[in-house]
Amino acid sequence: MSNRFRDASLSHQLALIAGLGCLLISLALVALAATSSRHMQKVQQAEFGDALAQQIARRIGVALETGDLLNVAASLHRFVESSSAGRVAIFDVEGRPLGEAGHVDGEYLTDYRAPVMIGPDIAGEVVITLSTAVAETARIRFLLSLFGLAIVLSLIVYAAARKAALEFLASRLQRQARSLALEENSKAALPANELLQLQHHINALPMELLRARSSSGPNPANYRDTAVLYLHLISLADYIDTLDESSLHRYTDRLHQIVYAAAGFYGGHLQVVRQFGLAVFFSGNTSGGSAAFRASCCAWLVRSISKAVEKKMSLSLGMAMAVAQSELGRGDETDIYPGLYIQSTLDELQTLCASKPPQVMLSPGVCEDIDVSSRLEQRPSELGDYAILEEFLNPWDDLLERQLRLTLKRLGEPL
């Protein structure tokens, strides 16, 4: 049965699911209606039976008060003839029968009782028996009509769902399957299910139709001068084998926050390029200055922030930094040539920072940049042609101080 349903037409599957869902909901409503009608019927019958029992009890109470048992018997017979009660009986306070009228048998019989009062005293009890067969039959007919209505409604939903599924889904899938069908497979036996038909035609397609993702071409942004700020994480290299995983994760998070915040002021792009080396790439000229100048500002910020944060930490944030210039950018997944070209610059910076210079080092190309040479002070070093970043001139030193205070405020409490 499951295979027949799986292989059936998609319109038939959806229609059958919709019809069964409607039938289940309708049956649940019918069950709710049956419970509700039974409860209401019992309440109404109880009120009616109690009213009849109290009525005959009042009549008999008057006759018993005079001691006229013949009048009591006559009252019982008249009550059975004039009311819907099938049987009525009277008992004294000790339970002995004093009179009875009528006879009833069969199913759906219910007894209702009421005390017989003579003044303030109880002289006996009246018991009447009512047959609820007619009401129960009417209730069953009502439920059967609701059940039939549920079946009819489910059939209507099935027909409507099948028509809609055939028009809006199955026919479209069939057209798509036919559009993919190869000429040699057009006459092959196909399953009735439209999705299986589509899958069959797709599986029959030749492999040469599968195409690899093509490159979108070189990105001009990767072919312009790029300044690289390289950070060698000295302390992390010492902590990698001594800290537990949780502490190491918090430590690297704080390093990332510091570098990422500083790079954000100057449009730098952070990337892990070596095992203990980070690189921040700056390309093009912006309102903040040239790429080399922005890389130098970022380096100063990282060093100043890390020193301020380190004072409130139990761990060290030691790192060596150097800035160099490259003719190409960092590349991307669609063009790897710039990324390969810039590796020589990264190797040079890694070698320089491996000597752990205490200050920010600037390459000769960076020192020759107009913004760098006019906005900051530098002095020669003993590490080849690299210079040491001393300080920034006004007004850029004030701007960096404000950025430093803002970053420390945002970083909050140290780890």
Side-chain angles (χ1 to χ4, degrees):
M1 180 63 183
S2 59
N3 292 334
R4 291 181 58 185
F5 177 78
R6 182 192 61 189
D7 298 335
S9 173
L10 189 61
S11 60
H12 176 71
Q13 291 177 346
L14 295 178
L16 186 60
I17 293 174
L20 289 177
C22 179
L23 181 61
L24 291 176
I25 295 175
S26 301
L27 291 179
L29 293 177
V30 170
L32 180 62
T35 303
S36 177
S37 63
R38 179 182 293 275
H39 176 72
M40 293 179 61
Q41 179 177 325
K42 285 185 177 181
V43 171
Q44 292 175 353
Q45 289 176 351
E47 292 178 351
F48 179 70
D50 291 338
L52 287 179
Q54 292 174 4
Q55 179 183 1
I56 187 60
R58 286 193 296 269
R59 292 183 185 178
I60 294 175
V62 175
L64 285 179
E65 188 175 1
T66 60
D68 190 356
L69 296 180
L70 293 177
N71 191 15
V72 170
S75 297
L76 293 178
H77 285 286
R78 285 196 302 270
F79 181 78
V80 171
E81 294 173 357
S82 61
S83 68
S84 59
R87 173 180 173 274
V88 59
I90 181 173
F91 302 89
D92 60 12
V93 292
E94 295 179 355
R96 294 189 297 267
L98 299 179
E100 181 179 354
H103 176 74
V104 63
D105 55 5
E107 299 178 352
Y108 307 112
L109 301 178
T110 307
D111 293 337
Y112 297 95
R113 303 172 182 272
V116 178
M117 307 295 295
I118 298 178
D121 300 324
I122 298 177
E125 183 182 38
V126 171
V127 180
I128 66 172
T129 302
L130 297 178
S131 176
T132 60
V134 176
E136 189 67 23
T137 302
R139 192 181 72 86
I140 293 175
R141 289 178 180 176
F142 171 71
L143 295 179
L144 289 176
S145 64
L146 288 181
F147 181 74
L149 182 62
I151 295 177
V152 173
L153 181 61
S154 300
L155 293 176
I156 294 175
V157 170
Y158 172 84
R162 181 163 188 176
K163 181 178 179 181
L166 183 63
E167 181 177 355
F168 295 106
L169 185 60
S171 59
R172 295 185 180 183
L173 289 175
Q174 284 182 338
R175 288 195 297 269
Q176 294 294 329
R178 286 194 296 267
S179 65
L180 293 175
L182 300 177
E183 184 176 355
E184 57 269 23
N185 296 329
S186 59
K187 297 182 180 180
L190 298 175
N193 187 272
E194 291 77 10
L195 287 176
L196 295 179
Q197 293 178 16
L198 184 60
Q199 182 181 359
H200 174 80
H201 290 308
I202 291 176
N203 292 336
L205 291 176
M207 291 295 295
E208 58 265 21
L209 293 180
L210 301 178
R211 295 177 299 175
R213 182 171 54 182
S214 60
S215 174
S216 58
N219 186 359
N222 293 327
Y223 290 84
R224 57 184 179 181
D225 290 344
T226 300
V228 183
L229 166 61
Y230 186 87
L231 301 94
H232 178 63
L233 307 177
I234 301 173
S235 299
L236 179 59
D238 298 331
Y239 293 143
I240 194 72
D241 296 324
T242 58
L243 294 179
D244 59 83
E245 183 178 357
S246 177
S247 300
L248 186 63
H249 188 72
R250 291 197 302 269
Y251 180 80
T252 55
D253 279 348
R254 181 45 57 97
L255 282 175
H256 179 243
Q257 291 172 358
I258 294 173
V259 180
Y260 188 76
F265 284 110
Y266 297 100
H269 298 279
L270 177 63
Q271 183 176 338
V272 178
V273 293
R274 298 292 186 270
Q275 182 179 7
F276 298 107
L278 301 179
V280 186
F281 299 92
F282 301 86
S283 299
N285 295 323
T286 66
S287 59
S290 64
F293 178 75
R294 287 183 283 124
S296 302
C297 293
C298 181
W300 186 92
L301 266 180
V302 171
R303 178 165 295 279
S304 301
I305 295 170
S306 59
K307 286 183 177 180
V309 173
E310 191 178 36
K311 294 178 181 179
K312 299 181 180 181
M313 290 179 60
S314 59
L315 301 177
S316 173
L317 292 174
M319 61 186 75
M321 290 182 284
V323 182
Q325 193 90 358
S326 174
E327 296 178 355
L328 300 182
R330 58 194 177 105
D332 52 36
E333 61 180 1
T334 61
D335 187 7
I336 65 173
Y337 175 74
L340 296 173
Y341 183 88
I342 207 173
Q343 292 302 310
S344 60
T345 303
L346 294 174
D347 292 339
E348 179 183 341
L349 291 172
Q350 182 185 18
T351 303
L352 176 68
C353 292
S355 61
K356 301 178 182 180
Q359 303 294 331
V360 177
M361 309 303 295
L362 304 178
S363 70
V366 172
C367 295
E368 294 173 0
D369 184 82
I370 297 177
D371 288 345
V372 173
S373 60
S374 61
R375 296 180 180 181
L376 58 84
E377 293 184 358
Q378 50 186 292
R379 61 181 174 88
S381 71
E382 299 178 355
L383 299 176
D385 297 332
Y386 278 77
I388 298 176
L389 173 61
E390 286 286 332
E391 61 181 7
F392 287 82
L393 304 177
N394 281 324
W396 294 280
D397 57 344
D398 293 336
L399 175 62
L400 288 169
E401 288 291 342
R402 290 197 299 270
Q403 292 173 346
L404 172 61
R405 291 193 296 270
L406 178 60
T407 304
L408 292 175
K409 182 178 179 181
R410 288 183 176 179
L411 288 177
E413 293 297 326
L415 295 175

